[in-house]
Structure formats: C-alpha cells, structure tokens
Amino acid sequence: MSAVLEVSGLTVDIPVPSGDLHAVRGIDFSVDKGETLCIVGESGCGKSLTSLSIMGLLPKRAKVSADRMHFVGTDLLGMKERELAAIRGNRMAMIFQEPMTSLNPAYTIGNQLMEPLIRHKNASDKEARDRAIYLLERVGITAAASRLSQYPHQLSGGLRQRVMIAMALMCDPELIIADEPTTALDVTIQAQILHLLAELRKEFNSALILITHDLGVVARVADKVAVMYAGKIVEAGTVDEIFNQPLHPYTQGLINCIPVPGKTARGSRLGSIPGIVPTLIGDIKGCSFRNRCAFAHGECDTKDPFHTLSPGRGYRCTLDVPACEANAKELVSA
Amino acid sequence: MTGQTPPPVLEMRDVTKTYMIRRGIFSPKQPLRAVNGVSLKIDRGDVLGLVGESGCGKSTLAKILLGLEMPTDGEIMIDGKPVDRDGDRKAIARRIQPIFQDPYSSLNPRKTIGSIVSLPLRVHKVGDPLTWRKSVEDILDIVGLPRRVYDSYPNQLSGGQRQRVAIARALIMKPEIVICDEPTSALDVSVQSQILNLLMDLREELNLTYVLISHNLAVVEHIATKVAVMYLGRIVEETGTEALFDKARHPYTKALLSSVLTPEPGLGVPDSGLGIAFPNPINPPSGCTFHPRCAKAFGPCSVDKPPVIMDADGRVECHLYA
Ligand SMILES: Nc1ncnc2c1ncn2[C@@H]1O[C@H](COP(=O)(O)OP(=O)(O)OP(=O)(O)O)[C@@H](O)[C@H]1O
Ligand SMILES: Nc1ncnc2c1ncn2[C@@H]1O[C@H](COP(=O)(O)OP(=O)(O)OP(=O)(O)O)[C@@H](O)[C@H]1O
Ligand code: SF4
Ligand code: SF4
Ligand SMILES: [Mg+2]
Ligand SMILES: [Mg+2]
C-alpha cells in the first residue's frame, strides 16, 4: 500500500476580532491508493478547512502548520504557490460543497470544463471538448454537447453539482477530495454519482477523501472513517468498526440521530445531541464534547487522551473500551 | 358533519411554468416546461413532502408558490382566493416564507447575521430597533446558534451554521406556510434531528403548514403527512406518507425508494435500475415521459399519456393501474 496523502499534526488557525480561531487542532490521517476515507463530523468542526489546506486554498489570513503533509511523497508544506497550482485541478482535484464557489458565472460550462485539461495537459481544444462531453455523459447529463454553451445560472442545483464533478475528473487526478458532493442531489443521482466515483477510483486507482454528514453514504462507500469534532479527530477506524463498535459518545450519538426507514417509528422524536459546539476561539481544556456528553465526569474537564487500539483504529475519551461499549448500549435503549 | 370544510390554504390548479431557453448561440429559443400542469392542494397543518430527481422542477414549483416566479399558465389560490398575477408580493411574503437549498447564495455576504435575520421585521415594519435585537437573539437560541454570531458575516460561518441562519430568518416573521427547499441538507445529523424536531414543534405550536422539498427520503418519511413525487415537471404519484412508503405504485417511486442508502455498511451502493440519463426536458419522451427508463413499460407507454388514477390509495399517473 502506498499512501497518496499523509497528514500529521495539521492545525489551521484563523485570526478573528476576538482572538485566534483554532479551527483544526492537530489531526492525523492518511489515504492510500484506491482507498476511500470518509470524514464526518459536526458542522463547523473543520472538515472543509482541512480539505482546503491540502489544496492550498485556505483564505490568506489563515495560518496552517503540520508536522507532515505529503502528497505522493512530495512535501506540500514547502511548496510555492506556482508549484501547487500545477498540481491543483490536475493531480489533485476538489469537488466543493457549494458549486457556485468553483463555477464562474461569467464563463460557459464548456470553457470551465476544458480549461484544466488545456492548461495542465496541453490538450487541444478538440481533445478537451471530447473529454468534457464524455464526462458530462458519465455524470448523467443528457444533451451534453449542448450544455457546453450554457452558463452556470441556467442549470439546476443538481446539474451544477454534476458539472463540477465532471470538472474535477477532467485530468484523472490521483487524489479527489469531495466536500459534500452529493448533498444537494436526489437519491437516484446520488447513487449514480457515488457509483461513478467508486468506478473511476478503481479505474485510475486514485484515492478519495469524501466529506459527508450522511451516514448512509459513509456506510456504503467508505473503507475507513474519521469522525471529527471541534477541530480534532475523536474516532477513527474501518467502516465496520465505526458502525458496529462506535466508541466515542459523539459517534454513538450520531448513529442514534438518523431516522432509519423501516426501523425508526414515523413521526417519533428523533434522538439528538443537545447543546452546541464550544467556541473554537482560544484553547479548549479537557474534552471538547463534554458539554454535550451524557457520560461526562470530573476527569473530562482536564483530560482528552487519544487511545490507539491498532494502526488506524482509535478514539479520544477518558473512558476505556468496555466503559464506552456499555455507554453505547445505554444510548440505544434510552 | 356541519359547516363547510375550509378551502385548502394553498392550491395550485393546472400550473405550468415554461422557460424559453437557447441550446446554442445560433439556434432559436425553445420551450422548457419546468412545471407541466401541476395541481396540488395543501391543507392547513399538512406537511407535504415533495421529492423527485434533480431538475424535475421542485424548486421552480417552490418559487411559484412563493410568488418569486409567475406561472405561465394555471392558477394559485391562497385560502381559496386566486392570487393576483401581478400579485402583491408583500402580502404573500408575510404568509409564506422560504428556507432555501443553498445557504451560501441565499445570504447576503455583506450583511451581518443580525441584519439578515431581522430584515423581514424591518421590511414589514414589525416592532422597533429595540425589539429587533431581542427577537433575533431569541430565534438564534431556537435554531441553536450562539448569540455572538449576531455581528458575524455569512463567510465566517460554516455551511451548517449558515443554514441555521436561513431558518432563523424564515421563522422570525412567524409565517403560516414555510416552503423548505432542502432545509437540512447542509446540516450534520445531530443538528438535522434537532431542526426536524424543532420544525415539528413549531408546526404544532403555530399551526404551520410546510412544503418540504428533500432528497433525504428518510427525513420525508419521518415528518411528512403526505408526499408528492415529481418527474419531469409532473406529479406522477401523490398519497399519504404511509401508503407511499409502504405500497408505492408508480415505478419511478419504487426506483427512488430502492436507491435510499441506509446506514448499513457492506451493502454497497444500490443500483436503482434507472440507467444513467435523466431525459432532456426540452425534448421530453413521448407518451409516459418515464418510459425510456421504466422496467415495467409496455405497449401504450411510449404512445399515450398515462391516465390519472385517483382512488382510496391516492393519485398515480401510470398505465399499469388503468
Ligand atoms: N474565513 C473564515 N473566517 C473565520 N472563520 C472561519 C472562516 N472559515 C471557516 N471559519 C470557521 O472555522 C470553523 C471550521 O469551518 P469549516 O468550514 O471547516 O467547517 P466544516 O466542518 O466544513 O462545517 P460544515 O459541515 O458546516 O461545512 C468554523 O467554526 C467556521 O466558523
Ligand atoms: N431561470 C431558468 N431558466 C431556464 N431554465 C431553468 C431556469 N430555472 C430552472 N430551469 C430549468 O428547469 C428545470 C427544473 O429546474 P429546478 O431548479 O426547478 O429543478 P429541481 O427539481 O429543483 O432540481 P434540484 O433537485 O437539482 O434542485 C431544469 O431543467 C432547469 O434547468
Ligand atoms: S472524555 Fe468525557 S466528556 Fe469527553 S466523550 Fe469521553 S466521557 Fe464524554
Ligand atoms: S405508464 Fe408505463 S412507462 Fe410510465 S411508469 Fe407506468 S408502466 Fe412505466
Ligand atoms: Mg464544510
Ligand atoms: Mg432545486
């Protein structure tokens, strides 16, 4: 197994009027060729900033640091903007949460699709055009050729999202980072797109980092999962470990919040995790989940240990594994 | 039973919305029927789930209900009274509020959250500057945002936080009808369940009526009282929630339900059996517009428009049930 991306000790700080916002607080993860890593976590926990930092697209005032951030063996941290720009959209591509952030309203779909291939791979107009049409068809857009002359605002939200996915795939990237790529899509297209991403990942043996809050998607496509909360990874493991033996109370709570068709009674109140995320400005002492945790106790005010159970499997909590497993049972029956 | 049943709070009669679009620079404009002859009745207290493939016309239908787009044909009635074509936008806006799909473009990036959320109060001259701040803070509490975001700008918030701002803005006027276009799709699940519980509470407290557009069928199944399934601008099946999820009839509805990704690892991504292509709305298939993708298609399907069947199980448009 060779790692496409290896990250350790990644932090992202953003200066705001009331101090430094520590959005990402020292996280480690890696993704291998042909592997899918899903990152899930609370809104605002730093998932998008994590992916933007890999792509070198953080806002200017953000401060990023890491012990290690290697892309296919090369160090991304020391790279000049020009070198990064040569990788971005080429060997490493991103599908954004909000299509309009990466689609330029002033250019046609065709222009925007063809541009990376022409710029990075010296493709001819015809080659770029053919590939654009091919990929638009692969993402399920009919009359693809005629779409090339349309502008982003002429497409529905779902069509724009599919155009963006096609755009990310133009240069056969080694790493695809997809930030909520199917959130705005209906389930049938979602299934098709996830099929497609899985297929292309196999075809090119590329690595996929998929950010999503849809646990259904995670369960069906992930090889491994990282659960984030307040800028840290609170649990990591294979997809089976996360769903069958969730250890962190946040992971356990998440699994309890979703209505499962055929299992959750219609109209019943859904499980929820009361409370909100602590402010990320300044330091957080102890466990950042403790104001929402049903199992918080004295120790949690000061301690926040990460237990590594095996390579790639671990969780962050003051409690030991048997105690966490007992908690999971208690939550389900509550 | 004495007295009259009240008219539906919101009704669409044979509503069509046609956009004229150009396929190439030199070709003439052609009609695209984004909404094609839709009739719908929504009673007070209903939660109407509106589902269907991307591009089938759900958002267009929502915009028509909100008075943001005028129908090309057909009528909109509120409380049984037709809405004037050039209609009083403000009167509609007080009663019907939207929560949009894309919290990024629906919030003005140059305005503070306090200003965004209080805008409806200021536009409709409800209260005064002293009460506005209090009203906004109350609603921020309700939607689970810290009060400190009052002075923040949208780009300082995460996607999920921005969607909570949009919900706060929609609810601050205490509207009668809320049109929710993917209200929770940007939210992670712990917040989603809080918002859904909240929407349900508000519905009871304020006798709210919802139109809920969502790709998350688990959510629709959980909170809708009835469901309308759209395909290529038409409602192809409409029935009570139980009936729809327990005994769907339209082949498209069945395909939709079979694509739901339940959180069970190891099952992989199911194949809806629909094939890849959503039809081109400018040049829709003949007969039943679903026929090129339908596993059950037979003789009349590619020729004749399917009949509308209305019976105890609801409404369905399909030759199979003729
Ligand atoms: N440009 C910015 N200026 C100030 N704060 C920011 C900025 N961008 C993000 N943040 C803050 O950093 C934190 C992490 O944001 P990020 O967008 O990474 O969250 P996320 O995990 O992607 O959330 P979501 O699931 O809602 O998209 C949030 O608290 C957010 O408010
Ligand atoms: N302003 C417009 N001009 C031209 N065509 C439009 C316009 N708005 C929408 N359309 C077209 O109308 C059809 C319906 O679009 P609509 O946005 O209502 O779909 P939707 O069901 O909301 O899709 P999604 O689930 O992707 O949001 C699409 O084919 C779209 O391209
Ligand atoms: S450390 Fe304490 S508060 Fe944090 S998750 Fe574990 S039990 Fe809960
Ligand atoms: S009318 Fe025919 S093609 Fe259309 S849904 Fe029914 S069986 Fe399928
Ligand atoms: Mg994000
Ligand atoms: Mg829409």
Side-chain angles (χ1 to χ4, degrees):
Chain A
M1 285 281 181
S2 57
V4 172
L5 185 75
E6 275 186 279
V7 173
S8 68
L10 175 68
T11 68
V12 179
D13 294 335
I14 301 183
V16 292
S18 45
D20 263 4
L21 189 149
H22 302 303
V24 180
R25 301 172 173 240
I27 64 170
D28 308 335
F29 61 91
S30 71
V31 56
D32 288 342
K33 266 195 172 152
E35 194 175 53
T36 299
L37 165 70
C38 281
I39 303 181
V40 286
E42 199 76 359
S43 163
C45 74
K47 303 179 300 294
S48 293
L49 291 179
T50 298
S51 49
L52 291 175
S53 63
I54 298 164
M55 297 292 293
L57 291 174
L58 283 173
K60 283 255 149 32
R61 62 207 169 89
K63 290 173 283 187
V64 56
S65 78
D67 300 328
R68 191 180 163 82
M69 196 150 127
H70 279 194
F71 173 66
V72 204
T74 46
D75 187 3
L76 290 174
L77 283 170
M79 256 183 211
K80 296 202 179 62
E81 172 51 31
R82 190 168 37 80
E83 296 168 294
L84 260 178
I87 295 182
R88 210 164 38 218
N90 181 16
R91 296 176 58 198
M92 178 196 300
M94 178 143 180
I95 300 163
F96 287 90
Q97 190 167 13
E98 287 130 357
M100 287 319 271
T101 51
S102 61
L103 290 176
N104 187 329
Y107 290 95
T108 62
I109 300 302
N111 271 327
Q112 298 185 59
L113 278 167
M114 289 156 63
E115 194 268 348
L117 202 63
I118 294 170
R119 181 154 54 94
H120 293 297
K121 305 267 199 250
N122 272 324
S124 69
D125 264 26
K126 174 155 188 338
E127 285 165 337
R129 202 185 149 78
D130 290 348
R131 173 121 181 117
I133 293 172
Y134 166 75
L135 283 173
L136 286 179
E137 280 168 357
R138 288 289 298 268
V139 297
I141 294 181
T142 43
S146 70
R147 295 287 184 185
L148 294 181
S149 60
Q150 289 191 309
Y151 289 88
H153 73 268
Q154 293 172 313
L155 305 179
S156 74
L159 286 176
R160 282 201 290 258
Q161 195 71 16
R162 283 186 271 170
V163 167
M164 209 167 51
I165 290 167
M167 196 156 97
L169 296 172
M170 281 299 284
C171 297
D172 297 340
E174 288 152 79
L175 172 66
I176 303 166
I177 304 178
D179 191 349
E180 306 275 5
T182 56
T183 308
L185 306 180
D186 60 282
V187 290
T188 54
I189 307 284
Q190 175 179 65
Q192 286 170 15
I193 300 263
L194 293 173
H195 256 311
L196 173 75
L197 280 174
E199 236 173 70
L200 292 162
R201 204 205 48 188
K202 263 194 226 126
E203 222 169 295
F204 303 111
N205 212 17
S206 48
L208 174 63
I209 297 177
L210 184 71
I211 296 171
T212 177
H213 59 253
D214 186 335
L215 291 182
V217 172
V218 176
R220 303 304 187 93
V221 304
D223 295 310
K224 55 188 195 185
V225 183
V227 182
M228 276 183 82
Y229 191 83
K232 288 185 177 176
I233 290 177
V234 296
E235 183 158 3
T238 64
V239 66
D240 288 326
E241 287 164 342
I242 294 292
F243 281 88
N244 299 332
Q245 189 209 19
L247 293 172
H248 195 280
Y250 176 65
T251 318
Q252 296 166 351
L254 281 185
I255 293 171
N256 266 329
C257 282
I258 28 177
V260 182
K263 290 192 186 141
T264 316
R266 279 175 198 142
S268 63
R269 280 189 88 74
L270 297 168
S272 69
I273 305 175
I276 56 173
V277 188
T279 173
L280 297 177
I281 298 168
D283 291 329
I284 297 174
K285 212 168 157 231
C287 171
S288 58
F289 188 59
R290 70 179 185 279
N291 65 324
R292 303 175 74 181
C293 181
F295 311 106
H297 52 282
E299 249 186 313
C300 312
D301 293 345
T302 51
K303 291 192 192 144
D304 181 32
F306 191 86
H307 309 277
T308 303
L309 305 178
S310 60
R313 175 64 174 144
Y315 70 104
R316 185 181 294 283
C317 182
T318 51
L319 299 174
D320 61 13
V321 173
C324 287
E325 287 179 329
N327 290 347
K329 289 208 188 80
E330 204 176 306
L331 271 183
V332 171
S333 58
Chain B
M1 176 98 193
T2 54
Q4 282 170 299
T5 15
V9 62
L10 200 54
E11 184 177 356
M12 295 183 113
R13 286 193 189 158
D14 214 15
V15 167
T16 293
K17 176 71 195 180
T18 308
Y19 292 110
M20 295 304 292
I21 76 155
R22 224 185 267 285
R23 300 179 73 180
I25 306 177
F26 300 109
S27 47
K29 287 196 168 182
Q30 289 177 291
L32 182 159
R33 273 186 198 93
V35 172
N36 189 3
V38 164
S39 297
L40 252 188
K41 284 183 189 162
I42 303 163
D43 290 318
R44 201 171 287 279
D46 270 352
V47 179
L48 172 75
L50 188 58
V51 301
E53 211 154 4
S54 187
C56 71
K58 303 179 297 297
S59 294
T60 305
L61 196 143
K63 285 182 203 151
I64 294 171
L65 290 176
L66 285 160
L68 298 175
E69 292 269 16
M70 282 298 137
T72 318
D73 246 314
E75 253 185 334
I76 310 293
M77 327 270 287
I78 296 183
D79 285 334
K81 289 188 226 52
V83 176
D84 192 345
R85 278 219 156 211
D86 313 303
D88 183 358
R89 268 285 301 130
K90 272 197 174 177
I92 295 183
R94 270 199 88 131
R95 307 184 59 186
I96 311 181
Q97 281 286 317
I99 300 170
F100 282 120
Q101 188 166 10
D102 183 350
Y104 191 77
S105 58
S106 69
L107 302 182
N108 185 335
R110 282 176 294 278
K111 291 274 172 18
T112 62
I113 301 310
S115 159
I116 289 170
V117 175
S118 63
L119 182 69
L121 297 177
R122 288 182 282 125
V123 168
H124 298 286
K125 307 210 164 43
V126 178
D128 55 67
L130 288 175
T131 60
W132 291 339
R133 178 154 194 137
K134 171 85 175 71
S135 307
V136 172
E137 285 177 349
D138 287 348
I139 206 88
L140 291 180
D141 288 348
I142 289 178
V143 301
L145 282 168
R147 290 183 177 191
R148 68 176 161 78
V149 305
Y150 191 92
D151 296 308
S152 309
Y153 289 88
N155 71 354
Q156 295 171 324
L157 304 185
S158 71
Q161 290 168 327
R162 286 196 289 259
Q163 190 60 314
R164 281 184 268 184
V165 171
I167 292 172
R169 178 182 57 185
L171 295 181
I172 200 158
M173 286 290 292
K174 307 230 157 34
E176 291 164 61
I177 303 169
V178 184
I179 313 270
C180 314
D181 196 343
E182 297 288 355
T184 59
S185 68
L187 306 181
D188 71 304
V189 293
S190 79
V191 183
Q192 172 178 299
S193 65
Q194 288 170 30
I195 298 279
L196 294 174
N197 286 342
L198 168 75
L199 288 174
M200 290 300 89
D201 290 347
L202 291 167
R203 174 186 167 224
E204 265 180 26
E205 277 168 36
L206 309 169
N207 201 15
L208 287 177
T209 303
Y210 295 114
V211 175
L212 172 71
I213 298 175
S214 180
H215 290 299
N216 189 331
L217 290 175
V219 165
V220 170
E221 171 165 7
H222 196 73
I223 71 173
T225 57
K226 59 183 193 176
V227 183
V229 181
M230 265 185 107
Y231 189 80
L232 211 57
R234 283 194 69 80
I235 290 174
V236 295
E237 181 160 10
E238 185 196 344
T239 183
T241 304
E242 299 255 321
L244 191 100
F245 286 94
D246 294 346
K247 40 181 185 189
R249 291 193 285 178
H250 198 282
Y252 174 65
T253 311
K254 289 181 181 170
L256 203 59
L257 296 181
S258 73
S259 311
V260 175
L261 302 181
T262 53
E264 297 162 284
L267 293 183
V269 183
D271 185 3
S272 63
L274 280 179
I276 194 86
F278 184 69
N280 178 358
I282 298 173
N283 188 13
S286 60
C288 171
T289 56
F290 184 57
H291 85 260
R293 303 168 78 189
C294 181
K296 290 272 165 61
F298 63 110
C301 298
S302 60
V303 189
D304 300 321
K305 289 231 171 309
V308 177
I309 287 113
M310 296 242 233
D311 56 24
D313 289 331
R315 180 183 175 286
V316 63
E317 284 187 10
C318 174
H319 286 297
L320 286 176
Y321 303 94

